Every structure is written in C-alpha cells, then in structure tokens.
C-alpha cells in the first residue's frame, strides 16, 4: 500500500479485467441503478451482462458482502443499505474496510464507486484511508515501481451528472490531506520528532507560498508559553509553536485551528506502563490532521483568514522534566499546579488557543487533539468527541461528521458543574481532575477553554479524536475530512459548499435533515 498512487477521474476508461483488475462498490440499491452500458467496458469480455446481474442478485450485505465476477480480477461489493442517524449515510467506515479486503491485486487497478452525489466527498476520503503511505517493511522499501489505482465515480440519484475537473481536484486534495495526516501519525518518533514535524510544516508552507512563524525552545519560556515549554523541555529536540497563516484579501472573519502535536508521550514522570505507552507516536494526530486539512482547504480557495497553529513537543523523561507539584504560568497568565505530567496535551493546547485569540485575533477557534483515553469510552472508536460554547456549532459538527464520514458526537458542556475538578490550593488550577469518574473528556476540554475564559465572546470548538485517529495499528487520517466539511462554507469550492453544514446548499433544519435521512436510510 505504501507505493500506491491514487487518482480520481471522471472516467477511468475501458479495460478488460485481466489487464486492469476492477472493484465495483456501492450500496445495493445504488448498484441496481447502474446500467450495463455504464460498466461493461471495464468487465467485458470475461464478464457478461448475465453474470453481472446474477452477482447483484446474490449480494446480501449483512453488514457487507462481496461477489467475485471473474477469478481474482473483478469483483462487486455492497455496502450496508441502511445506517442509523448517528452514522454517515455514505457508510464510510464500511467502505474503507471493503476496499482493503475486496480490491483485486495488481499494479494497475480500478475502483468504480457507485453513490449519490451527496456521498462523493465522504466516499473519496474513505477510499484514501485504505491506502496508507508509511512503511518500513524491507520488501516495500526495495520495491521501486508504483502501484496505480484509478477511482471513478458513477453518480446515481437525482443529480447524476459526471464530476467536473474542479470537483475531482477537491477529491484529490482531500485524499492527499488524509494520507499526509495518516503518514505523520504512523511515523515513529525516531523519524517524526519536533524537528521533523517542523519540516513537514515548512514543506506545506513552501507549497502554498507561506512562511511559517516558529517560536521554539528557550524563546517559548521567555515569551510566556509555560505549557508548551514545560511539557517539552526535557526532550532532546526542543518544543515549538508553529503557525501557518492564510490571509486573503476580502476576508470577513478570522479562524484558527490549533493542533496538539505531541510527537511522543511517555507520560513524563507520571510515566505510562509497558502496555499503554506503545502507540503514543499517535499523540500528534490533531496537529497532523490540521496540517493535512490546511493544505487541502487553502488549495480549494479558502476565502477567510485561516491560521493553523501547531503545538509541538515530546513529553519525555529527563533531568529537566516537569515534576508533579511544579507550577507553571501559561500564556494566558494563569498558573497551573501539575498533579499529572501525563495530562500534557491540555497544557500545550491552552497556550495555543490563547495565542490564537491574543496574537491572531481569531473569531473562531477550533482545537483538535488526541486528548483523552476516556474519549473512546465517551463516544466510541468511530466518533470524535465535540465540546463547544456554541449550540449552533455543536449541531454543525455533528452534521459535518455525517457528510464527511469523520463522525462526531457532543460532550457535555457545563463548566459550572465540572471545572471545580481542577481546584488547587496553590495555583489557579491543577491540570488533572480530582475525580476521574466525573466526565473526564469534558473536563479535559474545559481546562483548555478556561484559558480563553468561559465568557470569551468568540466561538470555541474542542474536538477529541483519541480513538478515531487509528484503526488497529494503522492511522486513519481522521479529522481532515471533518475540518474541510465543517468550514466548507468559507471556500469557493462547490463540493465543499455542498457538504458544509453551514453553507447555503445544505442550510437545512434538523427536521429536514432527518426527513432526508429517512428517505434514503434507516434513522
């Protein structure tokens, strides 16, 4: 998979399966709407119309099913036909699995995705997740040739027109962002320390014509970033705050995305155990998603000011490591008594969101992080946990999750009941809760929001992606599609406008959305 080149085309052209293996995939009702004339060029002469129709009749997805059409060169696969109201109508998670398990082998392959136009964006991102980039297997490193996969969308439903060049470019940029984020998260810390992550940021900046602002090492301490500095000061590679800024003419609002970039989390002196530390290379998942989404979003014509703020550190053990009982002053000016050095993400993000407010004058601040293990308990392995001071944005996050395939579900937002968990006799607050059974994930988010201030007049959104950032041992690139969809209304791109919950094209009431979901799926 590491050597796969993924290409989206309006038409993949005709080719018999022996020379170009093919997977045709979609929900059964959608597959039934495809005419033989639309796909015969990819199946003949070895697959006849009768074989195709017999295969469709044999499919009985529960929850998914597939049927070979010709040896191991051609197959058709069906997605679940019904999903609940908290799932994506695209069945994105099942799609990624089916592509991984059913796609025939070969160096030149084709995927024909059959879906409604509203599911194209989520489907393209789901397909891209099936082809991770990072690998250090010796056989993969020795293989010089690239494998090529062409993805063609056959659109069914009311608007069945082919995708245009601009829409295909959007899909390509989104897929690149998903795979970039997954590659960074998959890469171990000996190859993705803070120096290397800054190189990734600089590379994206160079591509977009943006010079990043970087505050690093002792300068962080001097300028008052006690959170980022305190977490990363014991590591060989210094911590950093890095910012990519897109400031187009005519912008009407300023948005900041703040990403947790802990390149490795040992837990610090509150060290993790031998079974819980492996996998902590993924603790930079929020920053990785923001980098991938920023590149894709700017390429698709973002019209407002957009700042990507990366809070980078390695939470290491060493002579200069932060100790429990130490007190740090964060960029907000508030003091924090450290009672758990393994609750480090909230410290770096607190500095990041306050920088976004004070120095970047952001109206809307979204932080994204692999923040708490409790997130998976709160909202599960597939849904990000969302906390925000705005009910409108809470609803928008859920809708964006459904339209993008990066699912999201709300956490309780109630500072007056939960923030007392951080009470300290010595400082303004502690960094970890007194009672771990009292809405842990919500409390962790509130810690970040408290440094903005609970009376801050702007929109603040906190997205915890600790569990969805990976599936088994592989990163998913989760968060890229969610960010692109959530802020799609600020783009010139028609496809992003369509999937945005705040754009004119999808500015429907919750009742309208439920009625539409009932029409197509099980609610």
């Amino acid at each position: 998979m590491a050597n796969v080149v993924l290409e989206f085309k309006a038409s993949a052209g005709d080719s018999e399966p022996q020379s170009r293996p093919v997977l045709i995939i979609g929900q059964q009702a959608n597959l039934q709407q495809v005419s033989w004339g639309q796909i015969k060029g990819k199946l003949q002469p070895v697959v006849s119309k009768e074989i195709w129709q017999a295969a469709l009749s044999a499919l009985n997805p529960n929850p998914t099913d597939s049927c070979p059409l010709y040896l191991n060169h051609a197959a058709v696969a069906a997605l679940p036909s019904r999903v609940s109201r908290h799932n994506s109508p695209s069945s994105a998670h099942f799609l990624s699995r089916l592509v991984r398990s059913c796609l025939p082998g070969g160096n030149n392959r084709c995927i024909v995705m059959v879906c409604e136009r509203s599911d194209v964006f989520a489907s393209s991102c789901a397909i891209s997740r099936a082809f991770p980039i990072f690998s250090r297997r010796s056989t993969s490193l020795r293989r010089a040739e690239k494998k090529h996969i062409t993805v063609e969308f056959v659109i069914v439903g009311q608007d069945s027109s082919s995708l245009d060049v601009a829409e295909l470019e959007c899909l390509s940029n989104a897929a690149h962002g998903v795979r970039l984020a997954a590659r960074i998260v998959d890469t171990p810390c000996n190859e993705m320390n803070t120096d290397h992550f800054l190189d990734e940021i600089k590379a994206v900046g160079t591509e977009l014509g943006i010079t990043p602002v970087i505050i690093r090492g002792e300068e962080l301490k001097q300028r008052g970033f006690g959170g980022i500095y305190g977490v990363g000061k014991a590591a060989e590679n210094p911590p950093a705050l890095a910012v990519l800024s897109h400031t187009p003419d005519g912008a009407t609002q300023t948005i900041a995305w703040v990403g947790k970039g802990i390149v490795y989390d040992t837990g610090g002196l509150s060290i993790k155990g031998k079974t819980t530390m492996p996998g902590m290379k993924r603790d930079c998942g929020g920053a990785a998603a923001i980098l991938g989404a920023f590149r894709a979003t700017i390429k698709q014509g973002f019209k407002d000011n957009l700042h990507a703020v990366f809070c980078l550190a390695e939470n290491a053990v060493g002579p200069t490591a932060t100790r429990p009982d130490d007190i740090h002053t964060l960029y907000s000016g508030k003091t924090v008594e450290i009672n758990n050095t393994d609750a480090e993400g909230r410290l770096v993000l607190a500095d990041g969101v306050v920088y976004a407010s004070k120095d970047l004058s952001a109206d809307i601040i979204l932080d994204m992080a692999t923040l708490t293990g409790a997130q998976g308990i709160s909202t599960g392995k597939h849904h990000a946990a969302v906390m925000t001071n705005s009910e409108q944005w809470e609803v928008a996050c859920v809708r964006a999750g459904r339209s993008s395939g990066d699912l999201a579900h709300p956490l309780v937002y109630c500072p007056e009941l939960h923030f007392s968990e951080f009470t300290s006799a010595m400082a303004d607050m502690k960094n970890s809760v007194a009672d771990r059974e009292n809405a842990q994930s919500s409390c962790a988010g509130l810690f970040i929001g408290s440094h903005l201030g609970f009376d801050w007049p702007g929109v603040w959104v906190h997205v915890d992606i600790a569990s969805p950032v990976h599936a088994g041992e592989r990163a998913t690139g989760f968060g890229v599609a969610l960010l692109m969809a959530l802020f799609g209304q600020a783009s010139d791109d028609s496809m992003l406008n369509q999937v945005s919950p705040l754009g004119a094209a999808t500015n429907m009431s919750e009742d309208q959305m439920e009625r539409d979901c009932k029409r197509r799926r099980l609610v």
Side-chain angles (χ1 to χ4, degrees), residues 87-163:
N87 200 353
S88 171
S90 66
S91 297
H93 289 89
F94 292 114
L95 177 55
S96 298
R97 295 179 199 171
L98 273 179
V99 170
R100 282 193 293 265
S101 61
C102 299
L103 181 64
N107 289 332
N108 184 23
R109 294 170 285 175
C110 178
I111 298 173
V112 178
M113 182 69 221
V114 182
C115 64
E116 297 184 16
R117 182 169 288 273
S118 57
D119 293 336
V120 167
F121 180 76
S123 298
S124 67
C125 293
I127 290 171
S128 68
R129 291 189 192 100
F131 304 101
I133 298 173
F134 180 81
S135 177
R136 288 297 177 265
R137 288 184 171 179
S138 56
T139 52
S140 176
L141 296 174
R142 289 196 299 267
R143 190 183 299 121
E145 76 277 8
K146 295 284 186 180
K147 294 185 177 183
H148 196 94
I149 294 177
T150 303
V151 182
E152 174 185 340
F153 282 87
V154 175
I155 312 298
V156 298
Q158 292 181 342
D159 183 1
S160 58
S161 58
S162 298
L163 299 177

Side-chain angles (χ1 to χ4, degrees), residues 211-231:
T211 301
V213 173
I214 298 173
I215 305 169
R216 193 159 199 213
E218 292 300 314
E219 186 182 358
L220 287 168
K221 181 180 180 181
Q222 294 163 7
R223 294 182 59 171
F225 293 94
I228 301 175
Y229 180 78
V231 171

Side-chain angles (χ1 to χ4, degrees), residues 25-30 60-65 77-84 87-98 119 520-522:
I25 190 167
Q27 294 178 3
Q28 194 168 21
N30 292 338
N60 184 25
N62 187 25
T64 57
D65 201 0
L79 293 164
S81 57
R82 302 193 299 179
V83 296
S84 67
N87 200 353
S88 171
S90 66
S91 297
H93 289 89
F94 292 114
L95 177 55
S96 298
R97 295 179 199 171
L98 273 179
D119 293 336
R520 300 169 55 199
R521 316 281 190 265
L522 171 67

Side-chain angles (χ1 to χ4, degrees), residues 346-370:
R346 63 199 69 180
L347 297 169
V348 303
L349 287 174
D351 278 354
V353 298
V354 173
Y355 179 86
S357 174
K358 287 171 57 175
D359 295 64
L360 302 177
S361 302
D363 309 301
I364 300 168
I365 298 174
L366 179 146
D367 71 77
M368 182 170 282
T370 51

Side-chain angles (χ1 to χ4, degrees), residues 352-522:
V353 298
V354 173
Y355 179 86
S357 174
K358 287 171 57 175
D359 295 64
L360 302 177
S361 302
D363 309 301
I364 300 168
I365 298 174
L366 179 146
D367 71 77
M368 182 170 282
T370 51
L371 199 66
T372 63
Q375 176 274 309
I377 298 170
S378 299
T379 59
K381 293 182 178 180
H382 303 296
H383 291 71
V386 174
M387 170 185 281
T388 172
N389 62 358
S390 165
E391 185 175 2
Q392 177 190 7
W393 278 81
E394 180 180 281
V395 172
C397 286
V398 173
R399 292 179 181 177
R402 288 161 61 182
S403 66
S404 68
D406 279 355
L407 297 170
H409 196 76
L411 290 172
V412 173
Y413 177 82
C414 198
E416 64 271 27
L417 294 182
H418 293 144
F419 191 66
S420 58
E421 291 291 340
F422 297 107
T423 299
S424 168
M426 304 294 178
D428 293 328
M429 67 192 77
K430 293 182 179 180
N431 75 315
S432 189
V433 293
D435 184 355
R436 296 177 69 85
E437 295 183 0
N438 187 19
Q440 262 196 81
S441 293
S442 292
C443 290
L446 290 175
F447 180 95
I448 299 165
S450 72
H451 289 266
L452 281 173
F454 296 125
D455 57 350
W456 186 64
V459 172
W460 167 66
V461 181
H462 164 66
V463 186
D464 191 340
I465 62 171
S467 288
V469 79
H470 71 103
E473 294 189 1
R474 273 293 186 181
T476 59
F478 189 97
V480 174
L482 178 63
L483 287 168
M484 293 182 71
L486 182 59
F487 291 88
Q489 87 287 351
S491 172
D492 286 327
D493 184 81
S494 60
M495 180 162 287
L496 294 183
N497 289 165
Q498 183 182 37
V499 297
S500 171
L502 300 173
T506 57
N507 191 15
M508 62 176 70
S509 69
E510 189 68 26
D511 288 342
Q512 288 173 314
M513 178 170 284
E514 297 300 342
R515 285 197 297 271
D516 180 64
C517 200
K518 285 179 180 178
R519 178 180 64 84
R520 300 169 55 199
R521 316 281 190 265
L522 171 67

